[in-house]
């Protein structure tokens, strides 16, 4: 059984205010895994992992809108993101160490020091800008960002429900041959749905999405919730066959 955490516990654990977590839910950036009968938000490990990514991207000084588009884009690569985040944090660490050394020097020596190099953040800013560009200049990101611009929370939720309806249909066929005509028609329907509502879903992108669906984590859990346990893995196999 997955252990759930209340929004209050998540706030205490992460240092993110309850109001901020509520706002993330409101804009569709971080939804709770479930709600209690009284309507209180509950978060699981998958939601907390997503929160970690959000906080690390905030360290890269991405806006919430940018973070949302990146995390939902088919181009998102968790390992690549972590590499960038580690590099930026290392640069920040070096910057802080230089400031500490500078301050200690002023305290020990006294007098005036007109060297302002310790305050220079140019290298850090240049890296953050470069990291942003790597994410934002992909065709899928640009198209997703443009299509989702101005879309209301209700519209986003309706689209998500439509996607889950397709996966629920996958679940009805998960004991069948993934290469069967009926199942392959579902894959084609999924591809058309993504292209019509998010970004042009090429076979290459669809294949990458299929691998992500079956890899565990948030996508797998949501798909299995819609179609029953094993649906995400079944959809991955069906998509792989379709794309070949």
């Amino acid at each position: 059984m997955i252990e759930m955490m209340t929004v209050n516990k998540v706030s205490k654990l992460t240092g993110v205010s309850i109001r901020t977590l509520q706002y993330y839910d409101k804009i569709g950036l971080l939804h709770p895994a479930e709600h209690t009968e009284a309507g209180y938000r509950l978060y699981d490990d998958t939601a907390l992992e997503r929160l970690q990514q959000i906080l690390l991207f905030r360290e890269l000084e991405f806006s919430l809108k940018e973070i949302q588009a990146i995390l939902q884009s088919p181009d998102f690569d968790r390992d690549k993101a972590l590499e960038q985040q580690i590099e930026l944090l290392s640069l920040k660490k070096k910057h802080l160490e230089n400031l500490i050394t500078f301050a200690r020097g002023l305290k020990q020596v006294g007098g005036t020091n007109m060297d302002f190099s310790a305050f220079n953040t140019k290298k850090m800013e240049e890296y953050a800008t470069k990291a942003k560009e790597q994410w934002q200049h992909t065709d899928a990101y640009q198209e997703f960002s443009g299509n989702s611009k101005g879309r209301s929370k209700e519209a986003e939720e309706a689209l998500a429900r439509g996607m889950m309806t397709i996966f629920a249909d996958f679940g009805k066929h998960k004991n069948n041959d993934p290469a069967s005509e009926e199942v392959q028609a579902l894959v084609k329907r999924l591809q058309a749905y993504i292209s019509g509502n998010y970004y042009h879903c090429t076979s290459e992108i669809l294949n990458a999405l299929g691998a992500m669906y079956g890899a565990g984590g948030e996508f797998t859990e949501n798909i299995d919730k819609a179609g029953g346990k094993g649906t995400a893995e079944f959809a991955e196999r069906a998509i792989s066959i379709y794309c070949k």
Side-chain angles (χ1 to χ4, degrees), residues 1 24 33 68 76 85 91 107 113 138 142 145 151 188 214-215 223 225 231 234:
M1 183 177 180
Y24 286 175
Q68 186 173 21
F76 179 65
Q85 291 153 353
L91 290 171
K107 182 179 179 181
N113 186 344
T138 64
Q142 294 286 351
S145 183
R151 192 179 281 162
K188 186 175 182 179
I223 292 170
K225 192 180 294 183
T231 300
F234 176 75

Side-chain angles (χ1 to χ4, degrees), residues 166-205:
I166 297 174
F167 285 120
D169 288 341
F170 269 104
K172 295 174 184 176
H173 293 274
K174 65 185 177 187
N175 293 321
N176 299 339
D177 182 356
S180 68
E181 185 177 339
E182 295 83 2
V183 175
Q184 289 299 295
L186 276 177
V187 178
K188 186 175 182 179
R189 177 179 155 200
L190 174 65
Q191 184 180 34
Y193 190 87
I194 295 171
S195 292
N197 295 289
Y198 296 104
Y199 42 77
H200 178 53
C201 187
T202 64
S203 292
E204 183 180 4
I205 288 177

